[in-house]
Amino acid sequence: MIFTVVKRELLAIFRNPAEVFNPLVFFVLVVSLFPLGISPSETVLQTIAPGVIWVAALLSTLLSMELLFRSDFDDGSLEQMAISPQPLLLLVTGKIFSHWLVSGLPLVMLSPVLSIMLALGVEGIQGMLISLALGTPTLSLLGSIGAGLTVGLKKAGMLIPILILPLYIPVLLLGTSLIQTAAAGGDYNAHILWLAALLALSAGLAPIATTASIRISLSH
Amino acid sequence: MGVRGQRIFRGYFSLFINGYIVNPAPYSAKLCCIVFSGKFNAVWKWFHKLGAPKSFFEMTGLWLPLLGVLTILLLVTGMVWGLVFAPQDYQQGQAFRIMYIHVPASILAQSSYLMMASAGVVFLVWKIKLADVALQCAAPIGASITFLALITGSIWGKPMWGTWWVWDARLTSTLVLLFLFVGVMALRSAMENQATAGRATSILAVVGLVNLPIIKFSVDWWNTLHQPASFSLTEKPAMPAEMYQPLLVMVLGFYVFFFLIWIMRMRLEILRREHRTDWVRRWYAARTQHAI
């Protein structure tokens, strides 16, 4: 059943592709602003690259977060999902997963190109791919809580980052330090395990919190 | 398992299936009856009474003077003792005395988040309205205490570390704590409907509570410069007794102060929410000597 939800979500998203591409364009734009703003020198870029790419990933995920439940809330389908016999938890998990498919996964695939632009070596690029692949699902999962809490509000745009960015800090720290360790040629198994642990924890708990918050937002 | 047991089981099981208890009150009440039968009954009755806004208001009205006196006593004693009589630090000289504000504030900052989030759990599970009042009133106090901890830490850092701010683990996690408090307050003020605002902020507070240890761990592991905690329950403090005794008094004083302000804010909020009820009108009339 979860695949039915994913299929429906993907179909809805691909009928309106601008929503998918805007956060990606934003991601690339933000990353390319840093060399312009700080310095184009390779040594500087190498030091800031992990942080820049991760911060841009956080921001662009949050940018697309508001749309996660918004259109379904506006046309009433979210309410229909909540009262349908299928558990809302599964429907929400499907929505979060499809959100990652269209916002997180493209970031992972784009990151090698950006890493080259920021002068990261081959090892660094490998680390970047692994850290983003493990970290971006956690971002989508945690962000969905904020989206669920604010879905009924008119001015949710600025609120979601305020609520959710503090929760993103562990992912940011672990993700960037994985890339730094990888770029320095170190062993980053511990980072992988920690990122995976965060992913498992948030995959287990975040959908429950999101479901509860959607029910609250619908109870107006 | 009898019929009642099955119903209780199903009631809690739904928490894990739907992620939300549709109506937990009957189940939890029954469970509590089983757990708190017999001699716990009196204790439980007392808590039930405390949970009703009116009796909370009446009871705390009696506590307030006591708490107020205790706060002043503890804070004045601790401050005079710490700032005047405690010996100088052999390394830090007089500058260490800011510890008597900074350490209590830092300890209280974390536990006030814990208390706020516990109120959130109580509100989500048992739907006691007073817990929502408690959560809403704890957030601004907690944020101020966290801010105080940051500011005093920064002032202490300037002479000791030579800089106002370093991205050290404990400073960073205290800063994140401040952000979490601000998030709860921002969500509350963005929602107009009181009932939904209460439940939404409770969820956010609980999510923050789950994340707090993870944030603390990840930041610790990321960067550590700060001296280890001044106090621990299991170890003998490294500083001499003349130094940590006033600190203990200050910590106690900060806690009592927190409870005092918390209860005062809660009483105000209860009056605001219940201003249409009879008992508030009667209370007001009695207080102002006006006829209704």
Side-chain angles (χ1 to χ4, degrees), chain A residues 93-163:
Chain A
T93 313
K95 278 182 82 74
I96 299 170
F97 180 62
S98 37
H99 175 267
W100 177 75
L101 280 182
V102 296
S103 76
L105 197 59
L107 289 192
V108 180
M109 297 195 290
L110 262 176
S111 64
V113 183
L114 293 170
S115 314
I116 294 170
M117 283 165 72
L118 294 178
L120 266 184
V122 179
E123 263 88 37
I125 293 177
Q126 207 180 349
M128 172 88 62
L129 273 172
I130 294 171
S131 75
L132 281 175
L134 279 170
T136 47
T138 314
L139 299 185
S140 291
L141 283 159
L142 288 176
S144 72
I145 302 174
L149 285 172
T150 55
V151 69
L153 302 175
K154 286 185 190 77
K155 290 173 190 161
M158 208 54 228
L159 202 54
I160 297 178
I162 294 177
L163 305 185

Side-chain angles (χ1 to χ4, degrees), chain A residues 62 65-66 68-69 92 96 99 137-152 159-161 163-164 167-168 201-217, chain B residues 187 191 199-208 210-211:
Chain A
L62 280 175
M65 220 47 180
E66 205 197 333
L68 181 57
F69 302 120
V92 165
I96 299 170
H99 175 267
T138 314
L139 299 185
S140 291
L141 283 159
L142 288 176
S144 72
I145 302 174
L149 285 172
T150 55
V151 69
L159 202 54
I160 297 178
L163 305 185
I164 297 303
L167 309 182
Y168 278 0
L201 193 69
S202 53
L205 295 180
I208 297 177
T210 309
T211 310
S213 54
I214 286 175
R215 282 199 197 278
I216 289 167
S217 295
Chain B
L187 184 63
M191 299 185 112
R199 287 199 279 158
T201 40
S202 301
I203 289 200
L204 187 67
V206 174
V207 169
V210 175
N211 266 276

Side-chain angles (χ1 to χ4, degrees), chain A residues 163 169 177 201 211-212 216 219, chain B residues 18 176 183 196 199 203 214 221:
Chain A
L163 305 185
I169 287 170
S177 107
L201 193 69
T211 310
I216 289 167
S219 70
Chain B
N18 293 327
V176 177
T196 43
R199 287 199 279 158
I203 289 200
I214 303 173
W221 164 89

Side-chain angles (χ1 to χ4, degrees), chain B residues 201-247:
Chain B
T201 40
S202 301
I203 289 200
L204 187 67
V206 174
V207 169
L209 187 67
V210 175
N211 266 276
L212 210 53
I214 303 173
I215 294 171
K216 253 186 107 51
F217 158 77
S218 64
V219 173
D220 268 346
W221 164 89
W222 168 67
N223 201 354
T224 303
L225 176 84
H226 199 289
Q227 55 186 323
S230 313
F231 266 148
S232 111
L233 289 176
T234 48
E235 281 169 45
K236 211 167 160 270
M239 61 181 118
E242 308 88 79
M243 267 173 162
Y244 77 74
Q245 278 160 355
L247 187 57

Side-chain angles (χ1 to χ4, degrees), chain B residues 64-120:
Chain B
L64 273 186
L66 185 74
L67 277 175
V69 171
L70 204 60
T71 308
I72 295 172
L73 218 65
L74 283 169
L75 285 184
V76 169
T77 316
M79 235 178 280
V80 173
W81 192 357
L83 296 185
V84 183
F85 295 108
Q88 271 193 42
D89 188 79
Y90 76 102
Q91 257 182 333
Q92 305 190 5
Q94 303 287 4
F96 94 99
R97 292 188 198 277
I98 198 169
M99 170 183 88
Y100 294 112
I101 306 289
H102 173 70
V103 173
S106 313
I107 295 175
L108 183 58
Q110 289 174 23
S111 54
S112 61
Y113 192 90
L114 185 71
M115 288 188 262
M116 183 185 78
S118 319

